[in-house]
Amino acid sequence: MSFSLDTPSTTTLKSEARALRAARAATASPITHGAALEEVARNHGYRDWNTASAALPDRAASPLQVAQRVKGTYLGRPFAGLVLGVHMLADMSHFEVTVKLDRPVDVSRSELLGPILRHRLRATVDLRGISAAQTSDGQPHMRISRV
């Protein structure tokens, strides 16, 4: 069975259940951990926790894998390359990606500075492969996808 990149994991649902328990305890209507798991599972469309646990992976999906060929744009410039590293951040929905480029990318936008060539890129992207950081014109620094 394959999972889409936005599929939650059992780890994610357990974290949601802990947060739900804490929120309910703060409002003077505490629930057990089991009840929190059941409610979170139903909120995600599953009949119960056992069904969700059987259907979901233990860990979150990653948009990219080490040694995978990728393509995309960086600062509006097209690139192709090889993923050297993927690091999941604490929120489990963003990844720091390091890419070795097939050909250097000129990241300079000024003709006065001349070319500024990058052989390797590092950026933080979401599950869709799009960085939250943006250029002054509102475009993401990086858009990356599997080849």
Side-chain angles (χ1 to χ4, degrees):
M1 172 182 281
S2 65
F3 296 91
S4 68
L5 295 178
D6 59 354
T7 299
S9 66
T10 56
T11 304
T12 305
L13 268 58
K14 287 177 183 178
S15 295
E16 287 182 32
R18 282 191 294 277
L20 176 61
R21 267 188 87 193
R24 292 280 177 89
T27 62
S29 57
I31 60 173
T32 66
H33 185 65
L37 288 171
E38 296 292 329
E39 186 171 331
V40 167
R42 282 191 300 277
N43 289 343
H44 282 272
Y46 296 97
R47 184 183 60 186
D48 55 27
W49 172 251
N50 288 337
T51 305
S53 179
L56 294 173
D58 289 334
R59 301 260 179 238
S62 173
L64 303 165
Q65 302 294 323
V66 172
Q68 184 175 45
R69 302 282 312 152
V70 292
K71 64 180 180 178
T73 58
Y74 184 74
L75 300 177
R77 308 285 205 273
F79 72 85
L82 183 71
V83 175
L84 295 180
V86 179
H87 175 78
M88 180 186 287
L89 301 182
D91 66 3
M92 294 182 66
S93 62
H94 288 88
F95 301 83
E96 185 177 272
V97 178
T98 305
V99 179
K100 180 180 183 285
L101 302 175
D102 294 344
R103 282 179 279 158
V105 171
D106 180 8
V107 297
S108 174
R109 290 197 170 201
S110 170
E111 292 181 17
L112 298 174
L113 294 175
I116 300 173
L117 300 177
R118 302 276 308 265
H119 296 269
R120 188 177 287 199
L121 302 175
R122 178 179 285 171
T124 299
V125 298
D126 61 16
L127 288 167
R128 299 169 298 149
I130 300 172
S131 66
Q134 298 180 343
T135 59
S136 60
D137 62 358
Q139 294 300 311
H141 281 189
M142 180 181 277
R143 290 180 188 266
I144 189 169
S145 63
R146 300 170 183 164
V147 174

